[in-house]
Amino acid sequence: LRAAGFEGRVIPVNASAVTVQGLAAVPSILAVEGPVDLAVIAVPAPAVLPALEECARKGVGGAVVISAGFREIGAEGRERERKLREWLAHRPLRVLGPNCLGWIRPSKRLNVTFAPGMPLPGGIAFISHSGALAVAILDWARDRRMGFSLFASLGNQADLTESDVIEAVAHDPETRVIVGYIEGLADGRRFFRALREAAALKPVVLLKAGRSAAGARAVSSHTGALAGSDAAFDAAVKQAGAVTAPSVEGLFDLARGLA
């Protein structure tokens, strides 16, 4: 946040530090004076839900949960994520993650990820189920001076899904092209509706991961997602009026041309 030059108010929340990187810290988000727009949660997994409960009490509208330790680690993590999802279902607080890189809004100098550097502002909204791929794309895009309107890694999608973000960027005036790296779908029917509505407004280009048997296993171990049927995915994308890409390079060649 500081390295990117964000001009808004930044308040570290840390129970054991008086200052963090020269900024005055508070022991709890409840101690922050005035409203809070966004919370970034980077604490051990067992502390995530208590932190979000404090965010809800504070009236925070949105949170990014970077913390890992959920369904991707096995039975204990699945139970932890089940409780998180159950709690979030009854709250107005919207959450990206857990187990995600975060997101970047270059035009606002807002970087709530742990990736170094800041991409240029531009017209491409990039949505990724893989944080590792997103970091690699950031480096690659900087070398090619490619600009983004939004750069988002979704993680385990306990609340916000690819469909939510596609719906948001479809109506975002900064976004000219929507680009997605998709490992699996949270809700196929909702995804199709969101994709069809978005593709009627601006170009949408998607790359589906996990097409080989080894790829499907990697996807499953990464975020606990199911890879799903490639034929069904391709047919749905085509029917919705969007485009599939053959590779990461192809994905961004199409994105740059369309932008």
Side-chain angles (χ1 to χ4, degrees):
L1 272 168
R2 299 190 73 198
F6 178 63
E7 294 181 353
R9 187 173 66 145
V10 179
I11 301 173
V13 178
N14 190 304
S16 58
V18 178
T19 61
V20 175
Q21 292 189 22
L23 296 174
V26 293
S28 159
I29 198 166
L30 298 173
V32 176
E33 291 184 14
V36 175
D37 296 321
L38 176 68
V40 183
I41 312 293
V43 297
V48 166
L49 187 52
L52 288 172
E53 287 170 344
E54 289 196 348
C55 289
R57 285 166 60 194
K58 179 66 179 172
V60 179
V64 175
V65 179
I66 288 170
S67 313
F70 292 84
R71 71 171 183 237
E72 76 282 358
I73 68 163
E76 180 186 350
R78 281 194 297 273
E79 177 60 16
R80 184 177 292 132
E81 187 167 322
R82 184 193 66 77
K83 290 178 179 175
L84 177 62
R85 287 172 181 270
E86 193 174 83
W87 183 84
L88 284 169
H90 307 290
R91 303 295 182 285
L93 175 67
R94 302 310 307 269
V95 170
L96 186 72
N99 184 34
C100 74
L101 178 72
W103 59 265
I104 306 173
R105 183 71 157 173
S107 66
K108 297 287 188 283
R109 309 298 301 170
L110 181 64
N111 184 345
V112 288
T113 75
F114 53 88
M118 175 62 117
L120 294 170
I124 299 171
F126 177 58
I127 303 160
S128 177
H129 282 160
S130 167
L133 179 79
V135 171
I137 293 299
L138 275 176
D139 291 339
W140 184 83
R142 273 194 294 271
D143 291 343
R144 289 158 181 78
R145 300 192 63 77
M146 185 185 296
F148 295 91
S149 57
L150 180 75
F151 196 94
S153 148
L154 304 181
N156 291 15
Q157 304 186 115
D159 179 30
L160 293 171
T161 68
E162 67 284 321
S163 299
D164 292 298
V165 184
I166 287 170
E167 286 172 2
V169 293
H171 298 282
D172 170 34
E174 290 185 28
T175 297
R176 299 183 66 179
V177 182
I178 302 168
V179 178
Y181 176 82
I182 305 295
E183 291 184 341
L185 300 175
D187 180 336
R189 289 184 186 278
R190 176 152 181 244
F191 173 75
F192 179 74
R193 288 196 302 272
L195 192 60
R196 184 172 56 191
E197 290 171 11
L201 298 171
K202 54 195 67 172
V204 184
V205 188
L206 302 175
L207 175 62
K208 170 76 163 57
R211 288 185 179 272
S212 66
R217 286 195 299 273
V219 162
S220 178
S221 67
H222 176 215
T223 56
L226 294 173
S229 163
D230 295 332
F233 181 87
D234 291 347
V237 170
K238 185 176 182 181
Q239 189 175 335
V243 178
T244 52
S247 63
V248 173
E249 293 84 355
L251 184 72
F252 283 94
D253 282 345
L254 282 166
R256 292 182 79 172
L258 291 164

